[in-house]
Amino acid sequence: MRLDRFDLNLLVAFDILVEERSVTRAARRLNLTQSAMSAALRRLREAFADDILVQNGKKMIPTAAALSLAPEISSLVADLRGLIARGLTFDPTESQRLFRIVASDFVTTVLIGPLIERLQKIAPHVRIEITLPRNDITERLEDGEIDLIISPEQFLEGPHPTELLFEERHVVVGWSGNPLTKDGLDEDVYHRAGHVTVSVSRDGTFIENHLRTRGDRRRIEIICAAFSQVAWMLPGTTRLALMHERLARVMAKALPLAIFEPPIPLPDMREMMQHHQARAEDPGLKWLRQQLKRSASTQGEELRDLL
């Protein structure tokens, strides 16, 4: 089939069909009817002279030809999405663009939340969609489903560009009336106290992974599903928690918390941004990254003033 007669939307359908291996699920993702998705599969079969997906019991299995084409088509779809999203110019005062960001609740609370106030003034029509990290974020970046990942350096994969957003320390946080810390915090008190931790995915968190490799001696009493839940578990108890310093400072404005230097050595965390290499010159994405870095830098200066 000649390219000028080929519907490029079929490449998107191919990409989703091979990934989902289900006409029903693919239709749902593309917001199409099942009959429309079946028609797209039929046209793909005609165009490529291949079955693409074959029924095997209750499942559909990609053919060998489909599996060999899938990486190239997935990359092509991501490049086309980047080209369309990039456009020729970006005017933040007029743009209605939707930016899709993957970020933890920690980053959303301390960085994106405060940035939204500024964006309301300089980019009133820009929209932000934030999703929590999942184990498939690299694949979603590859597929063009997200614009930007904000994550600790250790969790980023793939060949796509990364840049440092900010560096973050961890501090120990407890109730301001905690009798265990009335005379301060040393390593003995730290290990005698019960602790609150976070488990957000099977990959763990930056600080929990570090402690696990160093022979963690803490007595874990509460495990939270989000970083922003931790501080609420501390008032009125003798428990302690390791928290990102920026988040601890925010939560200490709302709750009776005391913040201590860790009595054990801890590395700084490098919070990074990653975008698809096809969008390196995307003016809108460049602008967003600049805004995030500016917000992080301002925060860092305010944090240093507190110390």
Side-chain angles (χ1 to χ4, degrees), residues 70-88:
E72 294 182 60
I73 290 180
S74 179
S75 177
L76 181 59
V77 168
D79 288 347
L80 289 171
R81 281 177 170 151
L83 178 65
I84 293 169
R86 182 168 70 245
L88 298 177

Side-chain angles (χ1 to χ4, degrees), residues 134-186:
R134 301 186 330 213
N135 294 318
D136 63 347
I137 59 171
T138 300
E139 290 79 6
R140 294 171 66 205
L141 184 70
E142 289 278 2
D143 292 344
E145 294 180 15
I146 55 179
D147 299 301
L148 194 66
I149 298 171
I150 303 177
S151 168
E153 190 171 30
Q154 287 76 0
F155 300 125
L156 294 177
E157 300 175 356
H160 302 292
T162 64
E163 59 184 314
L164 178 66
L165 183 54
F166 61 87
E167 291 187 318
E168 178 72 348
R169 298 193 320 141
H170 281 76
V171 294
V172 179
V173 182
W175 175 39
S176 58
N178 189 336
L180 292 181
T181 57
K182 66 181 188 309
D183 297 322
L185 179 68
D186 58 23

Side-chain angles (χ1 to χ4, degrees), residues 291-305:
Q291 297 304 316
L292 287 163
K293 287 192 287 187
R294 175 176 177 173
S295 181
S297 176
T298 300
Q299 266 195 349
E301 292 173 1
E302 294 173 352
L303 195 58
R304 285 190 291 272
D305 289 342

